[in-house]
């Protein structure tokens, strides 16, 4: 029980740093990393809505993707886009 609580605490602390893109990271490897984090969070009982995840991913992308993120926000309703469509 203590181990589970410690895992939840560590996950919440590291979640912000794990969602940031690295400078030399490809989008595919970034999405794989995000998928691992989300699966761990779901296994710990946390509910994550698809729209929340999409918004957080778009905010966490590096500035080199800024124009693409802006174009997506203008063309598509972010409430209906899925992570698969985002990739």
């Amino acid at each position: 029980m203590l181990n589970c609580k410690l895992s939840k605490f560590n996950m919440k602390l590291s979640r912000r740093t794990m969602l940031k893109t690295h400078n030399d990271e490809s989008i595919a490897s970034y999405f794989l990393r995000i998928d691992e984090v989300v699966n761990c969070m779901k296994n710990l009982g946390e509910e994550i809505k698809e729209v929340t995840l999409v918004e957080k991913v778009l905010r966490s992308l590096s500035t080199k993707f800024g124009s693409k993120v802006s174009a997506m926000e203008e063309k598509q309703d972010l409430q209906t886009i899925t992570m698969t469509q985002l990739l």
Side-chain angles (χ1 to χ4, degrees), residues 26-43:
S26 72
I27 289 294
S29 64
Y30 173 66
F31 271 66
L32 285 174
R33 193 163 48 90
I34 293 298
D35 194 42
E36 288 178 23
V37 171
V38 169
N39 286 336
C40 286
M41 292 168 63
K42 286 181 178 179
N43 287 338

Side-chain angles (χ1 to χ4, degrees), residues 5-22:
K5 287 183 179 181
L6 185 59
S7 293
K8 286 182 181 181
F9 178 73
N10 286 334
M11 181 62 74
K12 288 182 180 188
L13 281 179
S14 64
R15 181 170 46 187
R16 289 181 186 229
T17 57
M18 292 186 77
L19 291 180
K20 294 289 182 189
T21 56
H22 301 139

Side-chain angles (χ1 to χ4, degrees), residues 35-72:
D35 194 42
E36 288 178 23
V37 171
V38 169
N39 286 336
C40 286
M41 292 168 63
K42 286 181 178 179
N43 287 338
L44 292 172
E46 192 163 335
E47 291 184 31
I48 304 167
K49 294 181 181 180
E50 187 85 13
V51 65
T52 304
L53 184 58
V54 167
E55 289 171 349
K56 288 184 183 238
V57 165
L58 289 176
R59 281 194 306 255
S60 67
L61 292 173
S62 65
T63 55
K64 70 180 181 180
F65 296 105
S67 61
K68 293 178 182 176
V69 170
S70 295
M72 287 184 70

